[in-house]
Amino acid sequence: MIGKTNVGKSTFFQAATLIPVKIENRPFVTIEPNIGIAYVRKPCAHPVLGLPQCNPKNSLCIKGIRFIPVKLMDVAGLVKGAHKGRGLGNKFMDDLRQADVLLHVVDMAGSTDEDGHPVRPGTHDPLEDIESIEFEVNEWFYSIISRGWVKFSRSLDTMPWDKVVDTLAKRVSGLSIRKEHVIRALKEARLENTKPGSWREEELKLFTRKLREISKPIIIVANKMDVSIAEDNLKRAIKKFGNNKIIVPTSAIFELALRKAAKSNLIEYLPGDSSFSIVNESKLNKKQLAALEKISEFMKKYGGTGVQQALNKAIFDVLSMIVVYPVENANKFTDSQGNVLPDAYLVRSGTTAGELAYMIHTDLGKGFLYAILAKESKKVGASYVLKDGDIIKIVSATARH
Ligand SMILES: Nc1nc2c(ncn2[C@@H]2O[C@H](COP(=O)(O)OP(=O)(O)O)[C@@H](O)[C@H]2O)c(=O)[nH]1
Ligand SMILES: [Mg+2]
């Protein structure tokens, strides 16, 4: 999560990392103050199989919905000029290295000025932030990649193209950039089969911009949509950026209120639901009821509070991840202890059964013999491309334990 101060990052973070149900084992706690576990939601596979329940270990299943953990990091205080070390500057920029996708939280009410100071709603134009923060990220990216570029790029000019791509990919691997990203960026910048040593500055800039867009795509979390003036700004933002940016209307403060109320058993609500129901009206005072009414209206308008929607869009739409369920017993859909569908793995679409085996355990990958698709009772090889919702047993020559 990136964005200026005061736009609602901490509120979003708090909401997204709060589990609104009581659970016995909690391997899902906050890792560091600004790093926590959030969840993406997806219908669980157990109802589809006609099973009464499952026994999730690496994730949660609530009322037939799987909540799968993802790491969420609140990268505080990105301001205009940050790439030049302004504000909290470089340390926070460095935190971005790990990210696969960036949620840019924007104060759509315009109640935060350029430097992150609170101002009267409507005073600041949030559309400026959408551009200026992206500019900061792009500049940061460029400054990292262009460091020592002249010498590095000349060394590439004697290499065959394959080796150029490999060497480039290796150079940026510390930014969580994969070779596929580099290949795509080179293609989109029309720089394939050129000599990097002879790229002009514009060409290097174009390449790094494409690489940033591909390897760290940005989703706009249009926050504070509960403030009336925000709606106009949202319309303007959609008009201006809607064609090439995902913009999710959000009220982080409403989501936080709902998760807290659900945790206290005042309402029934699962993160990402488009509505909630009050459990016992007599337990709520007038003020609480009025607040919930306001939230309910907001949800009707936008289909939810936006927090879960933003997380889901980031993982499933932008990163195109799918969910697969590794099991050890393909007939019972269980692990060796009899737990039904214990693990739900988020993997990139295109991942093969062989690659999944390596993700679970190196030994499992090394000894891969074949896999069984549990629902279809079908044997597949290492090159089988996983489908969303696959339940899969990997048979390996090397024991797993
Ligand atoms: N109206 C409204 N205010 C919000 C929302 N999210 C956060 N805020 C308020 O905005 C201020 C800054 O929030 P905070 O989460 O600390 O922002 P951060 O500096 O980006 O981490 C606080 O007063 C929050 O209560 C929201 O969705 N709607
Ligand atoms: Mg904060």
Side-chain angles (χ1 to χ4, degrees), residues 217-278:
I218 298 177
I219 285 194
I220 305 297
V221 176
N223 195 35
K224 306 199 187 180
M225 284 308 302
D226 53 282
V227 181
S228 59
I229 202 162
E231 206 177 334
D232 265 356
N233 286 333
L234 178 72
K235 284 190 187 136
R236 286 172 48 235
I238 289 173
K239 200 166 164 198
K240 185 159 182 195
F241 303 114
N243 284 338
N244 50 27
K245 292 193 198 309
I246 295 178
I247 303 174
V248 188
T250 304
S251 173
I253 214 165
F254 281 178
E255 177 71 9
L256 185 58
L258 289 181
R259 292 206 191 189
K260 283 182 174 168
K263 188 139 193 153
S264 312
N265 266 320
L266 296 170
I267 61 166
E268 262 192 59
Y269 170 71
L270 288 182
D273 284 353
S274 55
S275 64
F276 60 87
S277 56
I278 292 171

Side-chain angles (χ1 to χ4, degrees), residues 254 257-258 276 285-297:
F254 281 178
L258 289 181
F276 60 87
N285 63 36
K286 256 190 166 158
K287 214 177 134 197
Q288 288 172 316
L289 283 169
L292 286 173
E293 181 52 37
K294 238 178 111 179
I295 298 178
S296 176
E297 276 167 30

Side-chain angles (χ1 to χ4, degrees), residues 348 350-360 365 368 382-384 386 394:
R348 282 171 204 283
T351 300
T352 63
E355 287 164 346
L356 177 70
Y358 271 102
M359 285 176 200
I360 298 170
F368 187 101
S383 62
Y384 168 76
L386 298 165
I394 287 156

Side-chain angles (χ1 to χ4, degrees), residues 11-44:
T11 310
F12 185 105
F13 180 84
Q14 222 189 320
T17 55
L18 183 84
I19 305 172
V21 291
K22 293 191 181 72
I23 46 168
E24 301 104 61
N25 58 337
R26 297 209 46 189
F28 310 112
V29 285
T30 299
I31 302 165
E32 277 175 42
N34 68 328
I35 305 175
I37 301 297
Y39 299 82
V40 289
R41 74 174 264 173
K42 194 137 209 191
C44 182

